[in-house]
Structure formats: C-alpha cells, structure tokens
Amino acid sequence: DQQVKQNSPSLSVQEGRISILNCDYTNSMFDYFLWYKKYPAEGPTFLISISSIKDKNEDGRFTVFLNKSAKHLSLHIVPSQPGDSAVYFCAASKRNYGQNFVFGPGTRLSVLP
Amino acid sequence: DGGITQSPKYLFRKEGQNVTLSCEQNLNHDAMYWYRQDPGQGLRLIYYSQIVNDFQKGDIAEGYSVSREKKESFPLTVTSAQKNPTAFYLCASSMGGGSFNDQPQHFGDGTRLSIL
C-alpha cells in the first residue's frame, strides 16, 4: 500500500510555462515533506521542503503548497526551463519518529524548448 | 568538496555470491541510509543508521546486511539470500541523528547492481 503517491508518471510542459507536480499521501501523521530532483545515473538532489505548520514555501522558481486536509502537496516551477527536465520525487516523514522518509514513485518532467 | 561517494558505479554479481557496496561521506553527518530503487517505484529503505555502531532495519532489509564502524562509512552487503538483487542502490546521509529533525537527506550517485 503506497503511502505516498504521485499519480502522474510523466508530464510535458513548454519552456517558460508553469510546471505543476502533484503528490498525495495517506498517513495523516506525516508532518514534513520534501521534493527531490533526479537526473539519470545520479542520486536525487534536495529541492525544497515544507513543514506541516506551513501551507506554502517558496525558493526562487520553486514553490511547494501543502493542503493538509486533502493530504495533498504540489510543486510549482515557474518559469519552467529545459534544465528542469528530470524525475521529481515527493517524500514524507513523521519527524517525531526519526527521519524515515517514504518516497513516491516519481514524476518525469520534460520541459520542451 | 563535501559529499557522498558510492562505489562502484556498476557491479555484477554471480548467483550465490555476496557483494558489498561502498558508501563514504565527508559531510560529518550522523545518520546514513541505504535505499533501493526499482523501475516505476519510489525509493525503498533497506537499512539506516542514526549513529556509529548502531543501525536499524528498514522496510526491505531481508537479504541485506550493513555495518557502521565509522561515522564516515556505511557499507551494504547484498547476500545470496536476496532473491532479486538487481536494482539501483542509493546511499544517503543527513545531519539528523535523533528524532525531530528537519534536515533533508543528501544522496550519492548510486550503484547499479546486476546479476550475471
């Protein structure tokens, strides 16, 4: 049973437009969420995080939104650039239980020039 | 530069053989982790260690073993008991050594293990 879901395996967006990647979770005890970006043959790179006490966190072109009632978070990238083409993983954890993150299956983003 | 080094990048194993994947970090992180990635799936936790000389099983520990004799090193042994070892293995570390920590994990570039 997947506790963290990314229902879109892939997404294509035109350069300059907004990319929206979605993530849903089932465990209401998750209170810390992260997004990672992964290029082929490399390890994931941390992108942005959000704590459950917030509903939005912004870092440059990247914004993560958290809707706790819906158990849903999303990553917005604007404007999208060709270098953003990668696989994006959503991860969640229960901080008081240590840092065992649960990862989603990933969404492959392709930004078309 | 600080980072996590995994070696080798590619590894081949004969059936019935144990193999050890190396993971070294110079970030002075307390916690280290091993994940496995299969196509179409997220990363699944194999083992983790919050402190030297201590480690815990993750979700899929069967057929694997680890040691944490030094803070910098967390080698993973894939034993012959692991029936489906072909996968991409990722090592990670974080500052979090205990509970309630907001530090993200830093990953190595992975080792791809294949069975001959």
Side-chain angles (χ1 to χ4, degrees):
Chain A
D1 181 32
Q2 277 190 337
Q3 295 189 66
V4 178
K5 303 176 185 181
Q6 294 177 257
N7 292 322
S8 298
S10 63
L11 175 68
S12 292
V13 170
Q14 209 69 35
E15 181 179 3
R17 307 293 291 268
I18 184 171
S19 296
I20 300 176
L21 296 98
N22 294 304
C23 178
D24 297 288
Y25 59 96
T26 57
N27 192 331
S28 58
M29 294 183 71
F30 287 143
D31 57 5
Y32 182 50
F33 305 89
L34 302 92
W35 284 95
Y36 284 88
K37 173 179 177 179
K38 184 181 181 301
Y39 293 118
E42 294 183 10
T45 303
F46 169 70
L47 204 53
I48 193 168
S49 65
I50 188 166
S51 161
S52 59
I53 61 174
K54 296 184 176 181
D55 54 19
K56 176 183 174 181
N57 190 24
E58 198 170 346
D59 184 1
R61 296 186 297 115
F62 303 93
T63 303
V64 56
F65 295 91
L66 175 63
N67 182 333
K68 289 187 291 293
S69 61
K71 298 192 187 70
H72 176 85
L73 65 156
S74 61
L75 175 68
H76 293 210
I77 306 173
V78 54
S80 300
Q81 299 173 354
D84 296 329
S85 298
V87 176
Y88 289 79
F89 290 99
C90 168
S93 77
K94 297 172 281 186
R95 286 174 301 178
N96 284 337
Y97 292 85
Q99 233 184 319
N100 293 340
F101 289 99
V102 179
F103 285 80
T107 295
R108 182 177 301 279
L109 173 66
S110 299
V111 179
L112 309 173
Chain B
D1 279 356
I4 300 177
T5 302
Q6 289 187 243
S7 61
K9 201 168 181 68
Y10 299 95
L11 187 59
F12 299 92
R13 190 192 93 171
K14 292 182 181 178
E15 290 204 27
Q17 246 182 6
N18 292 357
V19 288
T20 298
L21 284 61
S22 169
C23 178
E24 303 279 332
Q25 54 100 359
N26 59 4
L27 299 166
N28 199 32
H29 284 170
D30 289 312
M32 297 187 75
Y33 310 81
W34 273 106
Y35 292 91
R36 169 181 172 141
Q37 186 187 12
D38 294 282
Q41 296 194 36
L43 281 63
R44 291 184 291 166
L45 183 65
I46 304 172
Y47 267 99
Y48 65 100
S49 168
Q50 300 280 33
I51 198 168
V52 175
N53 291 322
D54 186 52
F55 50 82
Q56 306 294 330
K57 292 182 179 180
D59 300 321
I60 55 165
E62 186 175 349
Y64 300 97
S65 66
V66 293
S67 62
R68 186 84 188 278
E69 297 175 3
K70 297 187 299 182
K71 187 175 185 178
E72 304 80 26
S73 179
F74 191 40
L76 173 74
T77 297
V78 184
T79 74
S80 56
Q82 171 49 239
K83 298 306 177 190
N84 186 21
T86 297
F88 188 55
Y89 290 87
L90 284 160
C91 178
S93 70
S94 71
M95 289 177 64
S99 63
F100 207 107
N101 191 294
D102 286 343
Q103 299 303 315
Q105 295 175 359
H106 298 256
F107 284 84
D109 284 341
T111 293
R112 186 165 296 281
L113 175 63
S114 302
I115 300 302
L116 294 177

